Amino acid sequence: MKEFTTIIRDPILSDKNQILSFCKKTFSWGDYISEVWDSWQNDNGLVIIEKDNTAVAMCHGVKFQNENMLWIEGIRVKENYRKNGFATSLIKYFEKIANDFGIKHLNMLVETENTQSLNLVKKLGYQIISKWNYFSLQSKKNSHTRIKFESIDINELKNFKNIRFVESWRWIPLTKDNFENLNFHDNILCQKNDGEVQSLGIISESNSFEDTIILTIIFGRYADIHKMIWHAQNLSVKKGYSKIRILTESDDLKMNNIGNKFPFYLVGKTL
């Protein structure tokens, strides 16, 4: 194994092209780093590993102080520099930040087929919390324009502390504060039967990914889920979005025109 001095630092202007040069085919569908680089570089959450005056690795972290969570994302290491502990160093860097800020929980996503990354985070004490599937959907107007969703109070969700919703590809724990904010903006999609909550979804507009609306399907009957999806389509047209991303623990949405499924593990660690 080669020996490298690990220098973790803030990004500089010249890093962008160096990093993006090896962030093109990370997944079977490509990569998203080029979409989020500018916003990540400006929010003080992006860090770089430099070797021989070259940016060879990166990672981004976001603190959710009220939710007691730090989200780790976008770990990338240039191919020639892998298996040198750089990914481990980046994860431990953000674990220290979490500890310094009194944050107890760290979370990230790992593609289910990425056994190397999954084995790494397990060695570092992370455990699989749940498996999620990502589906893409075309933004277009449909005929289901009169769908109505019902009002809901967080106290109607008996197990709300275990619920997460997706915002900018971050799985955020549901709290009373963010629930009220989502409710205020009509982003909670609820269907009931005899006063009991049967189906629940949450809409979010991505802060990092341009031109994207995200629908998190928490749980529900297929008929209600289809209503959520139709609603998301019409809303995306109304707001001028071309991309719809659906995140759900369901393996099959039983609906036509849904894109290919890409599965991920949500993993976590408590300090």
Side-chain angles (χ1 to χ4, degrees):
M1 179 182 294
K2 299 178 182 178
E3 295 293 332
F4 292 112
T5 300
T6 302
I7 302 172
I8 299 179
R9 59 164 174 77
D10 293 335
I12 57 177
L13 192 61
S14 61
D15 291 335
K16 182 175 182 178
N17 289 337
Q18 293 178 6
I19 294 290
L20 295 186
S21 69
F22 60 86
C23 294
K24 296 179 179 179
K25 298 181 180 180
T26 307
F27 306 103
S28 58
W29 45 268
D31 204 334
Y32 62 83
I33 299 300
S34 61
E35 296 181 48
V36 300
W37 177 270
D38 291 341
S39 64
W40 284 9
Q41 187 175 23
N42 294 327
D43 68 8
N44 299 318
L46 181 63
V47 293
I48 302 295
I49 288 183
E50 177 187 318
K51 174 62 181 174
D52 297 333
N53 299 316
T54 302
V56 299
M58 64 162 282
C59 186
H60 186 254
V62 184
K63 296 187 295 291
F64 292 90
Q65 201 80 43
N66 293 336
E67 290 79 8
N68 197 22
M69 179 193 76
L70 190 146
W71 183 264
I72 299 174
E73 60 192 352
I75 300 174
R76 302 287 186 273
V77 181
K78 194 172 183 178
E79 187 173 3
N80 294 343
Y81 294 84
R82 294 172 187 169
K83 298 183 179 180
N84 287 282
F86 287 169
T88 297
S89 295
L90 290 165
I91 293 170
K92 289 184 176 180
Y93 172 90
F94 282 108
E95 288 180 351
K96 184 180 184 304
I97 287 180
N99 189 63
D100 290 346
F101 279 85
I103 295 174
K104 297 298 182 183
H105 303 286
L106 295 105
N107 291 111
M108 69 180 86
L109 287 183
V110 179
E111 192 179 35
T112 55
E113 295 182 359
N114 191 344
T115 55
Q116 185 174 347
S117 293
L118 189 60
N119 289 337
L120 169 63
V121 297
K122 284 182 176 180
K123 288 180 181 178
L124 294 175
Y126 290 79
Q127 297 180 336
I128 294 174
I129 298 172
S130 52
K131 180 183 177 183
W132 288 74
N133 294 300
Y134 149 55
F135 299 87
S136 61
L137 184 66
Q138 181 182 359
S139 173
K140 67 176 183 179
K141 190 173 182 179
N142 58 60
S143 60
H144 302 277
T145 57
R146 298 184 179 181
I147 298 172
K148 299 294 182 181
F149 296 99
E150 302 188 53
S151 61
I152 180 175
D153 185 271
I154 195 168
N155 294 322
E156 296 179 74
L157 300 172
K158 299 176 182 178
N159 203 22
F160 79 87
K161 291 184 179 179
N162 291 326
I163 292 177
R164 295 171 184 260
F165 68 99
V166 183
E167 183 179 82
S168 297
W169 281 90
R170 296 154 191 159
W171 271 242
I172 302 172
L174 191 63
T175 65
K176 290 185 178 181
D177 286 344
N178 58 37
F179 178 91
E180 290 176 2
N181 182 59
L182 290 163
N183 223 359
F184 179 79
H185 290 95
D186 296 323
N187 287 338
I188 296 180
L189 313 181
C190 175
Q191 295 284 358
K192 298 179 181 179
N193 185 27
D194 293 331
E196 293 289 328
V197 178
Q198 298 293 313
S199 304
L200 187 71
I202 295 178
I203 289 281
S204 67
E205 299 174 50
S206 178
N207 294 322
S208 299
F209 295 82
E210 295 182 358
D211 196 26
T212 302
I213 196 167
I214 295 176
L215 169 63
T216 311
I217 299 171
I218 311 297
F219 58 81
R221 303 169 296 191
Y222 281 115
D224 293 340
I225 289 173
H226 291 174
K227 291 178 182 178
M228 296 178 197
I229 294 172
W230 291 326
H231 173 76
Q233 278 192 309
N234 286 327
L235 184 64
S236 67
V237 172
K238 180 180 178 180
K239 294 200 169 190
Y241 292 105
S242 68
K243 301 175 186 176
I244 304 171
R245 302 294 181 250
I246 302 172
L247 286 309
T248 174
E249 293 187 70
S250 175
D251 286 325
D252 185 4
L253 297 180
K254 299 185 183 301
M255 190 174 186
N256 294 328
N257 302 319
I258 295 290
N260 293 332
K261 175 179 69 178
F262 294 99
F264 295 86
Y265 288 124
L266 172 65
V267 302
K269 178 179 180 178
T270 300
L271 297 177

